[in-house]
Amino acid sequence: EDGIRDVLLSLVGSEMCIRDSSTEVRLVAGFFVLLYVVGGGLIWLFYGIGGALLGLSCITGGLLLFLLLYGLVWLLGKWAGD
């Protein structure tokens, strides 16, 4: 485990960057899990299964758009040498 940590530290440069990236991923994943569970559940409660399926497809579209934008920012960061 320490060997992997040392390799990551040498690639990234500091321990703080690893923690920030991990925290960012967890926050975004938690947001979308809450959005699916709570949002989908409330839509189903008020509008039924048809509305819930449509709502979940819209949430999935938002997730894909987020992933696309995040990927572009990540690639630009790599290209700029960050």
Side-chain angles (χ1 to χ4, degrees):
E1 184 173 306
D2 286 336
I4 294 172
R5 183 174 178 270
D6 291 339
V7 169
L8 288 175
L9 283 175
S10 68
L11 290 174
V12 176
S14 72
E15 188 173 347
M16 192 60 167
C17 290
I18 295 172
R19 287 186 182 153
D20 286 345
S21 176
S22 175
T23 301
E24 184 177 314
V25 169
R26 288 179 184 173
L27 283 171
V28 170
F31 169 75
F32 278 103
V33 167
L34 279 174
L35 192 61
Y36 273 98
V37 173
V38 175
L42 286 173
I43 293 171
W44 173 77
L45 183 67
F46 288 110
Y47 297 105
I49 191 71
L53 291 175
L54 185 61
L56 291 177
S57 67
C58 289
I59 294 171
T60 301
L63 173 64
L64 294 176
L65 180 63
F66 172 81
L67 291 174
L68 174 71
L69 292 175
Y70 189 83
L72 286 174
V73 169
W74 179 78
L75 283 174
L76 287 173
K78 290 292 184 183
W79 183 55
D82 187 23

